Amino acid sequence: MTPPVTQQATAPEILARCRALVRPGLERAVRQLHPWHAEITAFSLGWDGPGGRAVPGAQGKGIRQALAVLAAEAVGAHGRSAVRGAVAAELIHTFSLLHDDIMDGDETRRQRATAWKAYGTGPAVLAGDALFALAVQTLADTPGAHCVQAVRLLSGTLNDLVRGQADDLLFESRPWTGPDAVRPHEYRLMAEHKTGSLLGCAAGLGAVLGGAGRTAADALTTAGRHLGVAFQAMDDVLGIWGDPEVTGKPVHSDLRRQKKTYPVLTALAAGDRAALELGALLRTGEPLDDAAARRAADLVEEAGGRSATVAEAHRHLDSARACLESVALEPEAAGELLALFPFFVERTV
């Protein structure tokens, strides 16, 4: 008799299942913080508002948590084995957002005030520092034989993440055109460090804590890094053409800030008429008003920056898929990992 066909869960269902598995561990970890830092963290995670008051605003989708849980399941372990890894990855992600929002001067995230706007710059910095330390402690306290390997993976990721953030900040002082301009390949490497490293770490931690061998753990880590670059590429697309009603940011927000992103850099590298006009518009160094930002967005698209960025995201999805196919994984968990892939290129926020 043929066994019944099991319908695969959808991406929202997969994300919700993984968040539900990780949430108790994440709550236990946050309770270890100084009460002030715990409050800021709960606010940043979308659990509570300032002073514990409920406020509107979306919580994160928990993609890093899901990568950790599914990676453990893909190597034959129960998802519970990855909870500490998922918690550590989420704590580091939140730490990075707290500091990133301050460095970029961003006042809103997920359609609500950022932590530094709600609590002040100093408290937000301290809360981020506390989360950094708590993430390391969470893994260091992991029982069993995989603790050292997990901490080593996290420490390497932290080095990558801050390296990527340093490059992103340094890009701001470099010119738009000429021999010292930021090239697309430099931006791609920055994105792998700043964004890809943590998604790779999340998947790698799940594999390591699930008892995977070196080959499988490396494959899942590399797959996660590719997913991170795809994620960043589409984030750059949203930063120019995203719907303000969905993203919570003004249309053309990255262009208004003259932020160097993949669509703009690839457009400038095209060297055609649209690229030259775009370069002349950006070289003034003046903030772009509505008309100038709209014209710049049109020029980026005309020079191929938008299509090149979407293509780049899809290339990294293909590379991530190849990583998963290169090792033997549990079919159901591998299928759920693949079911998340469209999220990285079809997301709206």
Side-chain angles (χ1 to χ4, degrees):
M1 181 177 178
T2 303
V5 176
T6 303
Q7 185 174 3
Q8 183 172 287
T10 65
E13 291 169 340
I14 295 166
L15 291 169
R17 175 178 73 83
C18 294
R19 285 198 306 270
L21 181 64
V22 174
R23 177 67 179 259
L26 188 55
E27 290 179 343
R28 284 193 298 272
V30 171
R31 284 197 296 269
Q32 297 177 47
L33 295 168
H34 184 288
W36 198 21
H37 300 153
E39 180 183 323
I40 296 172
T41 299
F43 172 80
S44 300
L45 290 167
W47 296 351
D48 295 307
R53 300 184 303 275
V55 295
Q59 297 184 22
K61 294 185 183 297
I63 189 68
R64 291 155 194 83
Q65 300 173 44
L67 287 177
V69 170
L70 294 176
E73 293 174 349
V75 299
H78 194 286
R80 284 192 299 268
S81 65
V83 166
R84 282 182 176 270
V87 168
E90 191 65 27
L91 294 174
I92 292 298
H93 176 53
T94 307
F95 139 74
S96 70
L97 296 183
L98 283 167
H99 286 194
D100 199 39
D101 286 339
I102 293 168
M103 286 182 276
D104 289 346
D106 286 339
E107 298 185 358
T108 59
R109 178 177 292 279
R110 298 173 185 157
Q111 300 178 320
R112 63 195 301 189
T114 49
W116 72 272
K117 285 298 293 182
Y119 289 91
T121 301
V125 169
L126 279 175
D129 293 344
L131 291 174
F132 184 109
L134 181 59
V136 176
Q137 179 186 336
T138 297
L139 280 187
D141 290 343
T142 302
H146 309 300
C147 170
V148 173
Q149 188 179 353
V151 172
R152 186 176 291 120
L153 175 57
L154 183 67
S155 64
T157 297
L158 292 169
N159 282 323
D160 268 357
L161 192 155
V162 296
R163 177 186 291 271
Q165 182 63 46
D167 285 337
D168 196 22
L169 288 174
L170 287 170
F171 287 170
E172 295 178 6
S173 62
R174 290 172 59 179
W176 284 105
T177 58
D180 294 326
V182 181
R183 305 303 177 190
H185 72 273
E186 294 179 277
Y187 185 86
R188 191 181 303 116
L189 183 60
M190 180 279 295
E192 182 181 347
H193 286 152
K194 181 180 175 181
T195 308
S197 63
L198 188 53
L199 272 75
C201 179
L205 286 174
V208 167
L209 296 175
R214 178 68 178 271
T215 301
D218 285 352
L220 284 158
T221 301
T222 304
R225 291 179 78 97
H226 282 297
L227 291 175
V229 179
F231 187 97
Q232 183 63 58
M234 296 312 298
D235 201 57
D236 288 350
V237 171
L238 291 173
I240 298 177
W241 296 283
D243 182 353
E245 293 296 320
V246 179
T247 65
K249 295 181 179 181
V251 67
H252 309 142
S253 59
D254 280 354
L255 282 172
R256 292 173 188 275
R257 294 166 48 201
Q258 298 210 17
K259 185 174 176 62
K260 294 180 175 69
T261 60
Y262 198 78
V264 181
L265 297 176
T266 52
L268 290 170
D272 58 10
R273 183 205 57 78
L276 294 175
E277 184 180 341
L278 176 64
L281 184 61
L282 295 172
R283 276 198 305 271
T284 65
E286 297 296 323
L288 302 184
D289 59 21
D290 289 349
R294 187 163 53 249
R295 179 57 181 160
D298 289 344
L299 291 168
V300 171
E301 188 150 16
E302 186 179 337
R306 183 173 186 168
S307 59
T309 303
V310 173
E312 178 77 3
H314 280 280
R315 277 195 296 274
H316 282 280
L317 285 194
D318 290 341
S319 295
R321 188 175 291 108
C323 288
L324 298 185
E325 293 171 351
S326 70
V327 290
L329 300 174
E330 290 293 324
E332 185 174 349
E336 291 198 336
L337 278 167
L338 290 170
L340 294 182
F341 279 27
F343 166 79
F344 292 90
V345 292
E346 296 172 5
R347 50 191 283 262
T348 56
V349 65

